[in-house]
Amino acid sequence: MFIIGVTAPIVLRYKNFGKSQFAMTLETFVELDDGINCGSAGFASNLDRALTYADHIIHNVGSLEAYLATIKTINFADSEAVRPKWDTYFLELAELVSRRSNCLKRAVGAVLVKTLRIMSTGYNGAPFGMKNCNAGGCMQCAKKVEDDTGMEKCICLHAEQNAIFEVGRSKSECSTLYTTTFPCILCTKDIIQAGVARVVYANEREDKLARELLNKALVKVDRISPYVISSYFKLV
C-alpha cells in the first residue's frame, strides 16, 4: 500500500471551487487556503505537512477531466510504483543530492554504490575552502555559458569527481556510479581510473568522446528515464 498526494496551482483550485455553491473572493480563498495548508492560527489541518507522508505526488496542472483521465492510465499494480527497483532508487537519490549544488549552470548529483551499499555521494561545486559559485567563486559559471566550452577555466569539481575522491580507488573498484547527467570527458577519465564498473545516468545529453572511452575501458553504461517514479505520477 502506498499514499498518493495531489497538488494543484491555487488559481486552478480557486477556479474549481468557484463552480460550487459557495461564493468567495480570491483574497478570502487564498487566506483560507493558507490556513488549511500551513496550519495557521484557527485551523487544525496542515496539508503541507501531510504531503510529506505521501509516497508519490501528482501535480494537477490541467482540467479536472485531464486529471481523471491521467488517473485511469496509472498502473497501480506496477511493482516499480509500489517499490522502486535498485537503479531507480539510487538514481533518485542522486537527483536529491544534486539539490545541494550551488552551480549556476547545471546542478548534478552522483551516488557511488557497491554491492547495493552507498559508498559516497557528490554534487558539483567549488573545492573546499573556496567561494561558492553562487557567491561569485567561479567566473565560468558567472558567464552563464550554455555549452561546455571553456571548462578548463572552471574551478568547480564535478559531482562524479567528488563521489570518487571521497572514497578513492580501493573502494570504488567494481562499483556503480549513478549520476543525473552523462559524465563529461574529465569525469570519464576519473571513472575509468577509479575502476568503476558501471555508470547509470538519467539525462539523455551525451558526450560522444566520453562514451567512446567508457566503451574502450569496458565500463557498462545504462540510461534510465529520468526519475521513473516521480514522472510516472506527474500530470502533464
Side-chain angles (χ1 to χ4, degrees):
M1 184 180 72
F2 54 93
I3 301 172
I4 297 178
V6 181
T7 65
I10 191 168
V11 173
L12 178 61
R13 286 186 280 119
Y14 175 69
K15 180 180 179 181
N16 291 334
F17 182 83
K19 297 177 182 178
S20 68
Q21 59 180 328
F22 303 101
M24 187 180 297
T25 65
L26 177 59
E27 182 178 2
T28 302
F29 181 83
V30 170
E31 183 180 354
L32 178 63
D33 185 78
D34 284 345
I36 294 175
N37 288 334
C38 304
S40 301
F43 295 93
S45 178
N46 191 332
L47 291 181
D48 275 359
R49 182 177 298 176
L51 282 174
T52 64
Y53 294 99
D55 297 298
H56 311 292
I57 295 177
I58 298 176
H59 302 286
N60 180 19
V61 295
S63 65
L64 178 60
E65 291 74 18
Y67 168 73
L68 294 175
T70 300
I71 288 291
K72 292 180 180 179
T73 66
I74 297 176
N75 180 13
F76 292 101
D78 187 352
S79 61
E80 182 81 328
V82 179
R83 190 185 189 199
K85 297 177 183 177
W86 286 113
D87 282 347
T88 303
Y89 170 68
F90 290 125
L91 195 58
E92 289 204 331
L93 286 179
E95 193 279 332
L96 178 62
V97 172
S98 73
R99 300 182 196 178
R100 281 288 302 167
S101 172
N102 55 64
C103 180
L104 298 177
K105 288 180 59 179
R106 181 171 62 248
V108 180
V111 176
L112 193 65
V113 176
K114 191 172 183 178
T115 61
L116 300 181
R117 295 292 181 268
I118 296 174
M119 307 296 292
S120 64
T121 64
Y123 53 87
N124 54 326
F128 286 121
M130 300 191 71
K131 188 182 295 186
N132 289 330
C133 294
N134 56 5
C138 180
M139 295 305 297
Q140 185 67 10
C141 283
K143 292 179 181 178
K144 297 182 180 180
V145 180
E146 294 298 327
D147 55 30
D148 290 331
T149 58
M151 287 182 60
E152 70 280 357
K153 297 179 181 179
C154 178
I155 69 166
C156 297
L157 288 169
H158 291 184
E160 300 92 330
Q161 292 175 313
N162 276 323
I164 291 171
F165 294 165
E166 188 69 24
V167 297
R169 179 181 171 85
S170 61
K171 293 184 178 180
S172 60
E173 283 189 290
C174 301
S175 64
T176 297
L177 182 69
Y178 293 86
T179 176
T180 55
T181 190
F182 195 90
C184 68
I185 186 63
L186 299 177
C187 290
T188 295
K189 291 186 289 185
D190 290 330
I191 288 169
I192 296 172
Q193 189 67 10
V196 174
R198 180 174 177 242
V199 172
V200 181
Y201 71 103
N203 196 314
E204 62 183 3
R205 183 173 178 269
E206 185 176 311
D207 186 307
K208 291 183 179 180
L209 178 56
R211 165 71 80 163
E212 290 177 8
L213 287 180
L214 290 170
N215 290 341
K216 289 181 180 179
L218 302 180
V219 177
K220 187 178 180 181
V221 181
D222 293 309
R223 179 178 182 266
I224 294 180
S225 181
Y227 326 122
V228 176
I229 299 298
S230 298
S231 60
Y232 189 82
F233 286 94
K234 184 176 181 181
L235 185 65
V236 295

